[in-house]
Amino acid sequence: MTAETGRLTTHVLDTASGKPAAGLSIDLVAIEDTGRRAIKSVVTNDDGRVDAPLLSGSDLRPGVYELVFHAGNYLRSGGLPLSEPPFLDIIPIRFGIADESAHYHVPLLISPYGYSTYRGS
């Protein structure tokens, strides 16, 4: 039996449509003493999730990270009338990872005029 390793996951739900936010671009960034370091960019699938953990195993290290959700592009693609510039465009969620063996799940609930997040399971 192998030990379970930690991982970082996310998913996005569109509360205006009541559906998963498919096709939303997300950037993962590490916040370091020397500045921001891009780790990866992904796009949500039809279920509003990414196909694999954003970080797992030895890639998941304690530190400060940011998920940058490109909500404006997603909301525009859905045909919703948005102001220019839109009220919400880029949504950065900054969070800390303290335990590399834990599961960190950072979901985002979005609409054109609001969002919320929490540490999920």
Side-chain angles (χ1 to χ4, degrees), residues 27 30 32 52 65 71 83 87 90 96 121:
D27 299 322
E32 301 174 336
Y65 295 86
S83 60
F87 179 70
I90 305 297
S121 58

Side-chain angles (χ1 to χ4, degrees), residues 59-110:
D59 292 332
L60 183 71
R61 296 184 187 104
V64 177
Y65 295 86
E66 198 169 83
L67 285 170
V68 181
F69 297 88
H70 296 266
N73 290 342
Y74 164 79
L75 293 166
R76 276 187 207 89
S77 73
L80 290 173
L82 300 177
S83 60
E84 282 303 327
F87 179 70
L88 292 176
D89 190 8
I90 305 297
I91 300 173
I93 307 292
R94 189 171 288 192
F95 59 96
I97 291 178
D99 179 0
E100 67 270 11
S101 68
H103 179 194
Y104 289 84
H105 184 66
V106 184
L108 181 70
L109 308 175
I110 62 167

Side-chain angles (χ1 to χ4, degrees), residues 21-25 43-46 74 77:
L24 190 142
S25 297
V43 176
T44 57
N45 61 24
D46 288 344
Y74 164 79
S77 73

Side-chain angles (χ1 to χ4, degrees), residues 3-8 37 39 53-63 65 97 99-102:
E4 184 176 331
T5 60
R7 65 194 186 282
L8 171 63
R37 179 177 54 87
I39 297 175
L54 296 164
L55 294 173
S56 63
S58 63
D59 292 332
L60 183 71
R61 296 184 187 104
Y65 295 86
I97 291 178
D99 179 0
E100 67 270 11
S101 68

